[in-house]
Amino acid sequence: MHPMERLRMVARAGEEGPGLVAQEAAAALAACAGDPPSLVIACRRLVDHQPTSGPVWWLAARVLAAPDPTAEAWRSAAELEDDPTPAACAYHLAEEALVTVVGWPEQVAAALRRRGDCRVLAVDAPVGGGPAGRRRRAGNDVVVVADSGLGSAAAAADLVLLEARVLGPGGFVATAGSLAAAAVGQASGVPVWVVAGAGRVLPGALWDALVARLAQDPEPWDSGYDVVPLRLADRVVGPAGPGPAEDAPARADCPPVPELTRSWAAPGSRGRGPLADRG
């Protein structure tokens, strides 16, 4: 497959997890790294089509800032593939805990599969959450809860376990329903943990650019995602395990490259870049 075709396919990825999408993007970016102008446009278009994917922003920033973009693309892909965050999360979950999750996001799902002994209330999240049938094969005692039962599920749990698609100073982006789950957890005295693995923590400038893009949505309640204040989380789980939520933004390990912070075409526009639609 031609690199540009692969980039278009990655840009339009639907319900795949952010980590998997970024790994596919890394292979395509490595193939076009020899043409710097095209590389910049490709990175901007990827972010344009995947604005809530922290690993895509992270990958693009690292590749654009690297003296050897090809090597950095492969290095970043390997870091995402080898991310120990799900294993660290599984290790720190309490034995046979009743855990409420929203949807079935990739790192939370991997942690629960590794743990195997948790009782799970999986709040249905048709956008970005994956089909309910996948939850029944998780190896845990899983009950799929309708979204109307989100509040009760969060209040009844031993732990509310959410997944950040991306996290930055002051907040994180997660599957729709996560804001309500976190708020109910806090109000009910239920600990709220957020899983944010490799590539999901951005520096302030990139986080601000991402949030500004999401703020352009005139109907955020239909976006499928919530921007959740970080103050609603007690702990953030990363590659080294759980830590205080307020310390998580310091884990950002990609540069705030200006190529990704400047404004560009609105989502759905037909620009003249390598990922633009043809015909």
Side-chain angles (χ1 to χ4, degrees), residues 2-12 28-29 31-33 35-49 64 269-278:
H2 190 277
M4 292 303 104
E5 288 301 324
R6 188 169 190 174
L7 279 168
R8 293 187 189 100
M9 179 185 70
V10 172
R12 299 187 183 98
L29 291 178
C32 66
D35 183 354
S38 292
L39 181 63
V40 171
I41 295 172
C43 287
R44 286 163 64 93
R45 290 290 183 181
L46 277 172
V47 169
D48 189 48
H49 286 272
L64 288 174
S269 64
R270 294 177 175 262
R272 295 180 57 84
L275 299 189
D277 295 333
R278 297 289 189 257

Side-chain angles (χ1 to χ4, degrees), residues 7 11 45 69 77 89 150 194 201 205 235:
L7 279 168
R45 290 290 183 181
C89 182
L150 184 153
V194 179
V201 181
R235 310 283 281 177

Side-chain angles (χ1 to χ4, degrees), residues 73-169:
W74 290 120
R75 183 163 45 246
S76 297
E79 189 171 335
L80 292 171
E81 184 175 6
D82 298 336
D83 185 6
T85 298
C89 182
Y91 178 81
H92 286 91
L93 291 175
E95 183 177 351
E96 298 184 352
L98 178 60
V99 180
T100 291
V101 302
V102 179
W104 198 245
E106 61 179 345
Q107 295 200 315
V108 163
L112 291 172
R113 283 194 296 267
R114 282 176 175 269
R115 184 74 211 190
D117 65 348
C118 290
R119 295 169 296 137
V120 182
L121 300 176
V123 178
D124 202 27
V127 179
R134 288 169 54 188
R135 304 184 186 115
R136 298 190 183 98
R137 298 194 294 270
N140 299 272
D141 179 9
V142 180
V143 175
V144 178
V145 179
D147 56 5
S148 59
L150 184 153
S152 296
D158 299 318
L159 175 70
V160 173
L161 185 63
L162 306 175
E163 180 168 323
R165 294 177 62 86
V166 57
L167 183 148

Side-chain angles (χ1 to χ4, degrees), residues 193-216:
W193 287 16
V194 179
V195 181
R200 301 196 183 213
V201 181
L202 298 183
L206 295 186
W207 169 253
D208 290 344
L210 182 154
V211 171
R213 285 185 56 74
L214 298 185
Q216 297 173 11

Side-chain angles (χ1 to χ4, degrees), residues 172-200:
F172 61 96
V173 176
T175 303
S178 297
L179 175 58
V184 171
Q186 284 288 334
S188 303
V190 176
V192 177
W193 287 16
V194 179
V195 181
R200 301 196 183 213

